[in-house]
Amino acid sequence: MDLLQIAHVVATARAGSSAALLLEHALEATGPSMGAAESTPEVVLKLEQVEVHTGMKKSYIYREMEKGTFPQRHKIGGGTHWLQSDIQRWIAARSNAHRWQPDNTAMPAVDSGTTRH
């Protein structure tokens, strides 16, 4: 039994706790046949860490969460946390989205008014 499975047993003894739910999520994500090299515990991030990772502020994060376009938070103890894997997937999805490209052929050259004679 690896460390993650032991933690799962301990957490399920406290059934219904946020820690148990997070460990369930981690076990489901990694699958039952994971080896020792594959057993990476799920990392949880505080709001300040999510802001650093995403470059977004609290108001934006909560607004997007309400719209369903940002990963949901998890209440653990007295604090609010996000799964790092959820935040990383959200960042990857945004970076893979279509990016605006200026059409330089349609734009006339800009005259800055500083030509010398």
Side-chain angles (χ1 to χ4, degrees):
M1 183 177 279
D2 66 23
L3 185 58
L4 188 58
Q5 290 169 326
I6 292 169
H8 178 263
V9 170
V10 171
T12 52
R14 301 177 193 159
S17 73
S18 296
L21 295 174
L22 287 174
L23 284 169
E24 282 292 333
H25 177 77
L27 284 174
E28 289 171 7
T30 56
S33 63
M34 64 185 188
E38 298 169 339
S39 61
T40 306
E42 182 67 69
V43 176
V44 292
L45 303 172
K46 293 181 179 182
L47 176 62
E48 296 80 17
Q49 294 168 307
V50 173
E51 288 177 331
V52 169
H53 281 277
T54 62
M56 307 300 171
K57 294 293 182 191
K58 177 181 178 178
S59 58
Y60 176 86
I61 291 169
Y62 278 86
R63 184 174 52 248
E64 294 302 307
M65 221 173 31
E66 286 178 21
K67 289 197 262 182
T69 58
F70 193 84
Q72 292 298 310
R73 66 182 186 236
H74 300 275
K75 292 283 189 174
I76 302 172
T80 301
H81 297 81
W82 285 261
L83 298 177
Q84 184 179 35
S85 60
D86 287 347
I87 299 303
Q88 289 171 337
R89 281 195 309 276
W90 181 83
I91 292 168
R94 286 179 53 95
S95 66
N96 292 332
H98 175 71
R99 294 179 187 257
W100 177 80
Q101 295 288 328
D103 184 11
N104 292 334
T105 59
M107 299 291 288
V110 176
D111 182 10
S112 63
T114 57
T115 54
R116 295 184 179 178
H117 296 281

